[in-house]
Amino acid sequence: MRSIISGLGAAGGALLLYSAFKEKKRVAASWTVPHVPVEEYHPKWDSNWDRRDPNSIVKPIKGKDGKFEVPEGDASSGKATAVRHILLIRHGQYNLSGKTDKERTLTDFGQQQATLTGKRLAELALPYSSLIRSTMTRAIETAALIGKHLDKDIPSESCPLLHEGAPIPPEPPVGHWRPEQHQFFEDGARIEAAFRKHFHRADPAQVRDSYDVLVCHANVIRYFVCRALQFPPEAWLRFSLQHGSITWLSVQPSGRVTLRALGDTGHMPPHLLTSS
């Protein structure tokens, strides 16, 4: 009898939640958060996050009723049609005892990790558009090893904005890692600039899907993931990334972003799985 009553209680709760959802279209359908309108605890998705929504780049005209409207057909001419795929690769394990960046070269493990990641990217056989690397030694070496397994004609370049750093004070804070506030102030602006440079929907002139490979660092990648998915950026330190891992994000023509893989290391044998 108790099981029947408890079952009815659960069903009743579900009915109440459904009823509340019908009354308020923006009610959080979850047992783990307060039953309040979604926008009260998290903002709705900003479809113009990259400031490239066609309606936002076309100058509106004043109609007969005095209201400003986008001329019919103008917005569609600026609409993207291709998908931008961004594959973020964390560098391989490196020499932590190095005092300078030049001394922080890849370890033997790091070289093996980078090689296996290069082979994995080759196996995926995607039409890679570019290979972009951070200017730090460990990222340069990782990109070089990856490049050996990709088409030699793929454009390659360095981006100093992808340099490792402290993007934003994490929440919750970590006791053993507390950079000075000025470091967040300096690094945060640079890493945010890197995000704005590399993450956006395709240009209307782009007719084919693109696949950009970015070889950089854990802090940078984690911050990018939070920003791209419009998660609170302070959450970037809540997840870990292994060396040589592949994180894959896709930006749709509409501006929607899909996380296809996060820190994938399925191409690594267990003894090569490292994160520090």
Side-chain angles (χ1 to χ4, degrees), residues 130-164:
S130 64
L131 176 60
I132 305 170
R133 59 187 176 272
S134 156
T135 52
M136 300 188 82
T137 300
R138 53 189 182 270
I140 293 172
E141 292 183 343
T142 299
L145 290 169
I146 288 175
K148 290 181 178 180
H149 301 277
L150 304 182
D151 191 326
K152 305 302 180 185
D153 295 329
I154 297 174
S156 178
E157 62 179 274
S158 296
C159 178
L161 295 176
L162 295 172
H163 195 288
E164 180 65 302

PDB file of all heavy atoms in Angstrom, residues 130-164:
ATOM      1  N   SER A 130      42.558  25.098 -41.203  1.00  0.00           N
ATOM      2  CA  SER A 130      43.738  25.771 -40.666  1.00  0.00           C
ATOM      3  C   SER A 130      44.237  25.046 -39.428  1.00  0.00           C
ATOM      4  O   SER A 130      43.485  24.323 -38.771  1.00  0.00           O
ATOM      5  CB  SER A 130      43.423  27.233 -40.323  1.00  0.00           C
ATOM      6  OG  SER A 130      42.453  27.306 -39.281  1.00  0.00           O
ATOM      7  N   LEU A 131      45.523  25.256 -39.140  1.00  0.00           N
ATOM      8  CA  LEU A 131      46.147  24.741 -37.923  1.00  0.00           C
ATOM      9  C   LEU A 131      46.751  25.941 -37.205  1.00  0.00           C
ATOM     10  O   LEU A 131      47.742  26.507 -37.657  1.00  0.00           O
ATOM     11  CB  LEU A 131      47.226  23.702 -38.265  1.00  0.00           C
ATOM     12  CG  LEU A 131      48.034  23.133 -37.090  1.00  0.00           C
ATOM     13  CD1 LEU A 131      47.113  22.438 -36.090  1.00  0.00           C
ATOM     14  CD2 LEU A 131      49.103  22.161 -37.588  1.00  0.00           C
ATOM     15  N   ILE A 132      46.106  26.326 -36.109  1.00  0.00           N
ATOM     16  CA  ILE A 132      46.511  27.534 -35.388  1.00  0.00           C
ATOM     17  C   ILE A 132      47.053  27.132 -34.024  1.00  0.00           C
ATOM     18  O   ILE A 132      46.479  26.288 -33.345  1.00  0.00           O
ATOM     19  CB  ILE A 132      45.300  28.488 -35.226  1.00  0.00           C
ATOM     20  CG1 ILE A 132      44.696  28.796 -36.596  1.00  0.00           C
ATOM     21  CG2 ILE A 132      45.724  29.774 -34.529  1.00  0.00           C
ATOM     22  CD1 ILE A 132      43.365  29.522 -36.529  1.00  0.00           C
ATOM     23  N   ARG A 133      48.144  27.719 -33.613  1.00  0.00           N
ATOM     24  CA  ARG A 133      48.798  27.333 -32.364  1.00  0.00           C
ATOM     25  C   ARG A 133      49.068  28.545 -31.484  1.00  0.00           C
ATOM     26  O   ARG A 133      49.264  29.658 -31.960  1.00  0.00           O
ATOM     27  CB  ARG A 133      50.113  26.612 -32.658  1.00  0.00           C
ATOM     28  CG  ARG A 133      51.086  27.466 -33.456  1.00  0.00           C
ATOM     29  CD  ARG A 133      52.316  26.702 -33.905  1.00  0.00           C
ATOM     30  NE  ARG A 133      53.176  27.529 -34.744  1.00  0.00           N
ATOM     31  CZ  ARG A 133      53.060  27.650 -36.055  1.00  0.00           C
ATOM     32  NH1 ARG A 133      52.101  26.989 -36.699  1.00  0.00           N
ATOM     33  NH2 ARG A 133      53.875  28.419 -36.743  1.00  0.00           N
ATOM     34  N   SER A 134      49.124  28.279 -30.197  1.00  0.00           N
ATOM     35  CA  SER A 134      49.569  29.271 -29.229  1.00  0.00           C
ATOM     36  C   SER A 134      51.060  29.520 -29.465  1.00  0.00           C
ATOM     37  O   SER A 134      51.746  28.703 -30.085  1.00  0.00           O
ATOM     38  CB  SER A 134      49.332  28.741 -27.810  1.00  0.00           C
ATOM     39  OG  SER A 134      50.193  29.346 -26.873  1.00  0.00           O
ATOM     40  N   THR A 135      51.558  30.618 -28.964  1.00  0.00           N
ATOM     41  CA  THR A 135      52.974  30.952 -29.154  1.00  0.00           C
ATOM     42  C   THR A 135      53.873  30.366 -28.065  1.00  0.00           C
ATOM     43  O   THR A 135      55.066  30.636 -28.041  1.00  0.00           O
ATOM     44  CB  THR A 135      53.158  32.473 -29.194  1.00  0.00           C
ATOM     45  OG1 THR A 135      52.534  33.056 -28.039  1.00  0.00           O
ATOM     46  CG2 THR A 135      52.529  33.071 -30.443  1.00  0.00           C
ATOM     47  N   MET A 136      53.306  29.563 -27.171  1.00  0.00           N
ATOM     48  CA  MET A 136      54.109  28.943 -26.122  1.00  0.00           C
ATOM     49  C   MET A 136      54.771  27.672 -26.666  1.00  0.00           C
ATOM     50  O   MET A 136      54.222  26.984 -27.525  1.00  0.00           O
ATOM     51  CB  MET A 136      53.263  28.637 -24.893  1.00  0.00           C
ATOM     52  CG  MET A 136      52.626  29.872 -24.288  1.00  0.00           C
ATOM     53  SD  MET A 136      51.791  29.578 -22.701  1.00  0.00           S
ATOM     54  CE  MET A 136      53.191  29.629 -21.583  1.00  0.00           C
ATOM     55  N   THR A 137      55.970  27.372 -26.156  1.00  0.00           N
ATOM     56  CA  THR A 137      56.783  26.274 -26.674  1.00  0.00           C
ATOM     57  C   THR A 137      56.031  24.954 -26.735  1.00  0.00           C
ATOM     58  O   THR A 137      56.071  24.242 -27.748  1.00  0.00           O
ATOM     59  CB  THR A 137      58.053  26.108 -25.817  1.00  0.00           C
ATOM     60  OG1 THR A 137      58.815  27.335 -25.876  1.00  0.00           O
ATOM     61  CG2 THR A 137      58.901  24.964 -26.321  1.00  0.00           C
ATOM     62  N   ARG A 138      55.340  24.593 -25.663  1.00  0.00           N
ATOM     63  CA  ARG A 138      54.655  23.297 -25.631  1.00  0.00           C
ATOM     64  C   ARG A 138      53.554  23.196 -26.676  1.00  0.00           C
ATOM     65  O   ARG A 138      53.282  22.120 -27.215  1.00  0.00           O
ATOM     66  CB  ARG A 138      54.103  23.029 -24.239  1.00  0.00           C
ATOM     67  CG  ARG A 138      53.216  24.118 -23.643  1.00  0.00           C
ATOM     68  CD  ARG A 138      52.964  23.779 -22.184  1.00  0.00           C
ATOM     69  NE  ARG A 138      52.097  24.692 -21.481  1.00  0.00           N
ATOM     70  CZ  ARG A 138      52.519  25.775 -20.829  1.00  0.00           C
ATOM     71  NH1 ARG A 138      53.799  26.102 -20.844  1.00  0.00           N
ATOM     72  NH2 ARG A 138      51.664  26.541 -20.158  1.00  0.00           N
ATOM     73  N   ALA A 139      52.907  24.321 -26.983  1.00  0.00           N
ATOM     74  CA  ALA A 139      51.871  24.314 -28.016  1.00  0.00           C
ATOM     75  C   ALA A 139      52.494  24.275 -29.408  1.00  0.00           C
ATOM     76  O   ALA A 139      51.977  23.596 -30.310  1.00  0.00           O
ATOM     77  CB  ALA A 139      50.988  25.543 -27.871  1.00  0.00           C
ATOM     78  N   ILE A 140      53.597  24.982 -29.597  1.00  0.00           N
ATOM     79  CA  ILE A 140      54.285  24.981 -30.891  1.00  0.00           C
ATOM     80  C   ILE A 140      54.783  23.579 -31.227  1.00  0.00           C
ATOM     81  O   ILE A 140      54.611  23.087 -32.350  1.00  0.00           O
ATOM     82  CB  ILE A 140      55.471  25.974 -30.867  1.00  0.00           C
ATOM     83  CG1 ILE A 140      54.944  27.415 -30.758  1.00  0.00           C
ATOM     84  CG2 ILE A 140      56.328  25.816 -32.120  1.00  0.00           C
ATOM     85  CD1 ILE A 140      56.043  28.456 -30.542  1.00  0.00           C
ATOM     86  N   GLU A 141      55.379  22.905 -30.236  1.00  0.00           N
ATOM     87  CA  GLU A 141      55.884  21.547 -30.458  1.00  0.00           C
ATOM     88  C   GLU A 141      54.745  20.562 -30.720  1.00  0.00           C
ATOM     89  O   GLU A 141      54.846  19.681 -31.577  1.00  0.00           O
ATOM     90  CB  GLU A 141      56.712  21.100 -29.259  1.00  0.00           C
ATOM     91  CG  GLU A 141      58.019  21.870 -29.086  1.00  0.00           C
ATOM     92  CD  GLU A 141      58.854  21.361 -27.919  1.00  0.00           C
ATOM     93  OE1 GLU A 141      58.293  20.652 -27.054  1.00  0.00           O
ATOM     94  OE2 GLU A 141      60.052  21.671 -27.875  1.00  0.00           O
ATOM     95  N   THR A 142      53.653  20.719 -29.976  1.00  0.00           N
ATOM     96  CA  THR A 142      52.501  19.838 -30.170  1.00  0.00           C
ATOM     97  C   THR A 142      51.921  20.012 -31.571  1.00  0.00           C
ATOM     98  O   THR A 142      51.628  19.028 -32.269  1.00  0.00           O
ATOM     99  CB  THR A 142      51.413  20.130 -29.116  1.00  0.00           C
ATOM    100  OG1 THR A 142      51.939  19.892 -27.810  1.00  0.00           O
ATOM    101  CG2 THR A 142      50.189  19.251 -29.332  1.00  0.00           C
ATOM    102  N   ALA A 143      51.768  21.259 -32.001  1.00  0.00           N
ATOM    103  CA  ALA A 143      51.214  21.537 -33.327  1.00  0.00           C
ATOM    104  C   ALA A 143      52.117  20.973 -34.425  1.00  0.00           C
ATOM    105  O   ALA A 143      51.631  20.467 -35.443  1.00  0.00           O
ATOM    106  CB  ALA A 143      51.026  23.034 -33.509  1.00  0.00           C
ATOM    107  N   ALA A 144      53.425  21.056 -34.221  1.00  0.00           N
ATOM    108  CA  ALA A 144      54.368  20.538 -35.224  1.00  0.00           C
ATOM    109  C   ALA A 144      54.219  19.030 -35.380  1.00  0.00           C
ATOM    110  O   ALA A 144      54.236  18.498 -36.502  1.00  0.00           O
ATOM    111  CB  ALA A 144      55.794  20.900 -34.823  1.00  0.00           C
ATOM    112  N   LEU A 145      54.067  18.322 -34.265  1.00  0.00           N
ATOM    113  CA  LEU A 145      53.905  16.863 -34.316  1.00  0.00           C
ATOM    114  C   LEU A 145      52.558  16.478 -34.925  1.00  0.00           C
ATOM    115  O   LEU A 145      52.448  15.503 -35.673  1.00  0.00           O
ATOM    116  CB  LEU A 145      54.044  16.271 -32.912  1.00  0.00           C
ATOM    117  CG  LEU A 145      55.466  16.316 -32.327  1.00  0.00           C
ATOM    118  CD1 LEU A 145      55.457  15.963 -30.846  1.00  0.00           C
ATOM    119  CD2 LEU A 145      56.383  15.365 -33.093  1.00  0.00           C
ATOM    120  N   ILE A 146      51.530  17.255 -34.614  1.00  0.00           N
ATOM    121  CA  ILE A 146      50.211  17.008 -35.203  1.00  0.00           C
ATOM    122  C   ILE A 146      50.254  17.246 -36.705  1.00  0.00           C
ATOM    123  O   ILE A 146      49.717  16.465 -37.505  1.00  0.00           O
ATOM    124  CB  ILE A 146      49.151  17.911 -34.545  1.00  0.00           C
ATOM    125  CG1 ILE A 146      48.857  17.442 -33.115  1.00  0.00           C
ATOM    126  CG2 ILE A 146      47.861  17.943 -35.366  1.00  0.00           C
ATOM    127  CD1 ILE A 146      47.918  18.351 -32.349  1.00  0.00           C
ATOM    128  N   GLY A 147      50.925  18.327 -37.089  1.00  0.00           N
ATOM    129  CA  GLY A 147      50.988  18.699 -38.498  1.00  0.00           C
ATOM    130  C   GLY A 147      51.627  17.659 -39.390  1.00  0.00           C
ATOM    131  O   GLY A 147      51.336  17.598 -40.594  1.00  0.00           O
ATOM    132  N   LYS A 148      52.483  16.828 -38.830  1.00  0.00           N
ATOM    133  CA  LYS A 148      53.139  15.776 -39.615  1.00  0.00           C
ATOM    134  C   LYS A 148      52.141  14.756 -40.166  1.00  0.00           C
ATOM    135  O   LYS A 148      52.447  14.041 -41.126  1.00  0.00           O
ATOM    136  CB  LYS A 148      54.184  15.065 -38.760  1.00  0.00           C
ATOM    137  CG  LYS A 148      55.404  15.918 -38.428  1.00  0.00           C
ATOM    138  CD  LYS A 148      56.404  15.118 -37.600  1.00  0.00           C
ATOM    139  CE  LYS A 148      57.649  15.948 -37.293  1.00  0.00           C
ATOM    140  NZ  LYS A 148      58.646  15.186 -36.495  1.00  0.00           N
ATOM    141  N   HIS A 149      50.967  14.689 -39.549  1.00  0.00           N
ATOM    142  CA  HIS A 149      49.976  13.698 -39.949  1.00  0.00           C
ATOM    143  C   HIS A 149      48.822  14.298 -40.747  1.00  0.00           C
ATOM    144  O   HIS A 149      47.902  13.581 -41.147  1.00  0.00           O
ATOM    145  CB  HIS A 149      49.431  12.984 -38.706  1.00  0.00           C
ATOM    146  CG  HIS A 149      50.502  12.300 -37.909  1.00  0.00           C
ATOM    147  ND1 HIS A 149      50.980  11.054 -38.222  1.00  0.00           N
ATOM    148  CD2 HIS A 149      51.217  12.723 -36.830  1.00  0.00           C
ATOM    149  CE1 HIS A 149      51.928  10.711 -37.364  1.00  0.00           C
ATOM    150  NE2 HIS A 149      52.083  11.701 -36.510  1.00  0.00           N
ATOM    151  N   LEU A 150      48.878  15.603 -40.969  1.00  0.00           N
ATOM    152  CA  LEU A 150      47.832  16.276 -41.722  1.00  0.00           C
ATOM    153  C   LEU A 150      48.358  16.728 -43.075  1.00  0.00           C
ATOM    154  O   LEU A 150      49.553  16.693 -43.342  1.00  0.00           O
ATOM    155  CB  LEU A 150      47.302  17.474 -40.922  1.00  0.00           C
ATOM    156  CG  LEU A 150      46.778  17.182 -39.512  1.00  0.00           C
ATOM    157  CD1 LEU A 150      46.247  18.463 -38.878  1.00  0.00           C
ATOM    158  CD2 LEU A 150      45.694  16.105 -39.537  1.00  0.00           C
ATOM    159  N   ASP A 151      47.469  17.160 -43.914  1.00  0.00           N
ATOM    160  CA  ASP A 151      47.827  17.658 -45.241  1.00  0.00           C
ATOM    161  C   ASP A 151      48.828  18.808 -45.106  1.00  0.00           C
ATOM    162  O   ASP A 151      48.601  19.755 -44.342  1.00  0.00           O
ATOM    163  CB  ASP A 151      46.562  18.140 -45.957  1.00  0.00           C
ATOM    164  CG  ASP A 151      46.796  18.432 -47.431  1.00  0.00           C
ATOM    165  OD1 ASP A 151      47.892  18.885 -47.785  1.00  0.00           O
ATOM    166  OD2 ASP A 151      45.862  18.202 -48.223  1.00  0.00           O
ATOM    167  N   LYS A 152      49.900  18.731 -45.848  1.00  0.00           N
ATOM    168  CA  LYS A 152      50.956  19.755 -45.765  1.00  0.00           C
ATOM    169  C   LYS A 152      50.495  21.125 -46.255  1.00  0.00           C
ATOM    170  O   LYS A 152      51.124  22.141 -45.953  1.00  0.00           O
ATOM    171  CB  LYS A 152      52.182  19.313 -46.568  1.00  0.00           C
ATOM    172  CG  LYS A 152      52.735  17.942 -46.173  1.00  0.00           C
ATOM    173  CD  LYS A 152      53.113  17.886 -44.703  1.00  0.00           C
ATOM    174  CE  LYS A 152      53.657  16.507 -44.332  1.00  0.00           C
ATOM    175  NZ  LYS A 152      53.936  16.385 -42.866  1.00  0.00           N
ATOM    176  N   ASP A 153      49.411  21.144 -47.013  1.00  0.00           N
ATOM    177  CA  ASP A 153      48.927  22.407 -47.569  1.00  0.00           C
ATOM    178  C   ASP A 153      47.980  23.155 -46.635  1.00  0.00           C
ATOM    179  O   ASP A 153      47.509  24.248 -46.969  1.00  0.00           O
ATOM    180  CB  ASP A 153      48.219  22.160 -48.906  1.00  0.00           C
ATOM    181  CG  ASP A 153      49.182  21.643 -49.978  1.00  0.00           C
ATOM    182  OD1 ASP A 153      50.368  22.017 -49.930  1.00  0.00           O
ATOM    183  OD2 ASP A 153      48.729  20.855 -50.837  1.00  0.00           O
ATOM    184  N   ILE A 154      47.680  22.583 -45.479  1.00  0.00           N
ATOM    185  CA  ILE A 154      46.796  23.274 -44.534  1.00  0.00           C
ATOM    186  C   ILE A 154      47.493  24.527 -44.004  1.00  0.00           C
ATOM    187  O   ILE A 154      48.608  24.440 -43.484  1.00  0.00           O
ATOM    188  CB  ILE A 154      46.423  22.351 -43.364  1.00  0.00           C
ATOM    189  CG1 ILE A 154      45.628  21.143 -43.862  1.00  0.00           C
ATOM    190  CG2 ILE A 154      45.600  23.108 -42.312  1.00  0.00           C
ATOM    191  CD1 ILE A 154      45.344  20.120 -42.787  1.00  0.00           C
ATOM    192  N   PRO A 155      46.870  25.687 -44.125  1.00  0.00           N
ATOM    193  CA  PRO A 155      47.481  26.916 -43.612  1.00  0.00           C
ATOM    194  C   PRO A 155      47.774  26.801 -42.117  1.00  0.00           C
ATOM    195  O   PRO A 155      46.955  26.316 -41.346  1.00  0.00           O
ATOM    196  CB  PRO A 155      46.413  27.985 -43.878  1.00  0.00           C
ATOM    197  CG  PRO A 155      45.599  27.428 -45.001  1.00  0.00           C
ATOM    198  CD  PRO A 155      45.570  25.941 -44.774  1.00  0.00           C
ATOM    199  N   SER A 156      48.970  27.251 -41.727  1.00  0.00           N
ATOM    200  CA  SER A 156      49.383  27.178 -40.324  1.00  0.00           C
ATOM    201  C   SER A 156      49.813  28.561 -39.851  1.00  0.00           C
ATOM    202  O   SER A 156      50.470  29.301 -40.593  1.00  0.00           O
ATOM    203  CB  SER A 156      50.547  26.186 -40.183  1.00  0.00           C
ATOM    204  OG  SER A 156      51.001  26.136 -38.852  1.00  0.00           O
ATOM    205  N   GLU A 157      49.445  28.890 -38.628  1.00  0.00           N
ATOM    206  CA  GLU A 157      49.811  30.203 -38.098  1.00  0.00           C
ATOM    207  C   GLU A 157      49.853  30.183 -36.574  1.00  0.00           C
ATOM    208  O   GLU A 157      49.345  29.255 -35.931  1.00  0.00           O
ATOM    209  CB  GLU A 157      48.821  31.264 -38.562  1.00  0.00           C
ATOM    210  CG  GLU A 157      47.394  31.031 -38.089  1.00  0.00           C
ATOM    211  CD  GLU A 157      46.437  32.109 -38.554  1.00  0.00           C
ATOM    212  OE1 GLU A 157      46.336  33.135 -37.848  1.00  0.00           O
ATOM    213  OE2 GLU A 157      45.795  31.924 -39.605  1.00  0.00           O
ATOM    214  N   SER A 158      50.470  31.195 -36.010  1.00  0.00           N
ATOM    215  CA  SER A 158      50.542  31.346 -34.553  1.00  0.00           C
ATOM    216  C   SER A 158      49.598  32.456 -34.122  1.00  0.00           C
ATOM    217  O   SER A 158      49.389  33.427 -34.850  1.00  0.00           O
ATOM    218  CB  SER A 158      51.968  31.676 -34.116  1.00  0.00           C
ATOM    219  OG  SER A 158      52.849  30.616 -34.401  1.00  0.00           O
ATOM    220  N   CYS A 159      49.044  32.304 -32.917  1.00  0.00           N
ATOM    221  CA  CYS A 159      48.159  33.344 -32.371  1.00  0.00           C
ATOM    222  C   CYS A 159      48.553  33.606 -30.922  1.00  0.00           C
ATOM    223  O   CYS A 159      48.293  32.773 -30.046  1.00  0.00           O
ATOM    224  CB  CYS A 159      46.701  32.903 -32.456  1.00  0.00           C
ATOM    225  SG  CYS A 159      45.549  34.108 -31.743  1.00  0.00           S
ATOM    226  N   PRO A 160      49.191  34.739 -30.642  1.00  0.00           N
ATOM    227  CA  PRO A 160      49.608  35.048 -29.267  1.00  0.00           C
ATOM    228  C   PRO A 160      48.451  35.204 -28.291  1.00  0.00           C
ATOM    229  O   PRO A 160      48.645  35.092 -27.081  1.00  0.00           O
ATOM    230  CB  PRO A 160      50.392  36.360 -29.425  1.00  0.00           C
ATOM    231  CG  PRO A 160      49.884  36.955 -30.696  1.00  0.00           C
ATOM    232  CD  PRO A 160      49.575  35.799 -31.590  1.00  0.00           C
ATOM    233  N   LEU A 161      47.248  35.434 -28.804  1.00  0.00           N
ATOM    234  CA  LEU A 161      46.094  35.579 -27.917  1.00  0.00           C
ATOM    235  C   LEU A 161      45.760  34.263 -27.219  1.00  0.00           C
ATOM    236  O   LEU A 161      45.093  34.256 -26.178  1.00  0.00           O
ATOM    237  CB  LEU A 161      44.877  36.061 -28.709  1.00  0.00           C
ATOM    238  CG  LEU A 161      44.960  37.457 -29.334  1.00  0.00           C
ATOM    239  CD1 LEU A 161      43.707  37.727 -30.159  1.00  0.00           C
ATOM    240  CD2 LEU A 161      45.136  38.520 -28.266  1.00  0.00           C
ATOM    241  N   LEU A 162      46.219  33.133 -27.791  1.00  0.00           N
ATOM    242  CA  LEU A 162      45.916  31.812 -27.245  1.00  0.00           C
ATOM    243  C   LEU A 162      46.872  31.391 -26.135  1.00  0.00           C
ATOM    244  O   LEU A 162      46.769  30.280 -25.612  1.00  0.00           O
ATOM    245  CB  LEU A 162      45.949  30.761 -28.364  1.00  0.00           C
ATOM    246  CG  LEU A 162      44.884  30.896 -29.452  1.00  0.00           C
ATOM    247  CD1 LEU A 162      45.156  29.913 -30.582  1.00  0.00           C
ATOM    248  CD2 LEU A 162      43.495  30.665 -28.866  1.00  0.00           C
ATOM    249  N   HIS A 163      47.787  32.254 -25.772  1.00  0.00           N
ATOM    250  CA  HIS A 163      48.747  32.007 -24.689  1.00  0.00           C
ATOM    251  C   HIS A 163      47.994  31.623 -23.413  1.00  0.00           C
ATOM    252  O   HIS A 163      46.924  32.144 -23.130  1.00  0.00           O
ATOM    253  CB  HIS A 163      49.560  33.293 -24.480  1.00  0.00           C
ATOM    254  CG  HIS A 163      50.807  33.134 -23.684  1.00  0.00           C
ATOM    255  ND1 HIS A 163      50.801  32.918 -22.329  1.00  0.00           N
ATOM    256  CD2 HIS A 163      52.105  33.175 -24.061  1.00  0.00           C
ATOM    257  CE1 HIS A 163      52.050  32.839 -21.897  1.00  0.00           C
ATOM    258  NE2 HIS A 163      52.859  32.976 -22.929  1.00  0.00           N
ATOM    259  N   GLU A 164      48.564  30.691 -22.625  1.00  0.00           N
ATOM    260  CA  GLU A 164      47.924  30.262 -21.376  1.00  0.00           C
ATOM    261  C   GLU A 164      47.803  31.423 -20.391  1.00  0.00           C
ATOM    262  O   GLU A 164      48.590  32.386 -20.452  1.00  0.00           O
ATOM    263  CB  GLU A 164      48.735  29.125 -20.749  1.00  0.00           C
ATOM    264  CG  GLU A 164      48.165  28.573 -19.437  1.00  0.00           C
ATOM    265  CD  GLU A 164      46.812  27.886 -19.595  1.00  0.00           C
ATOM    266  OE1 GLU A 164      45.880  28.552 -20.078  1.00  0.00           O
ATOM    267  OE2 GLU A 164      46.701  26.704 -19.219  1.00  0.00           O
TER     268      GLU A 164
END
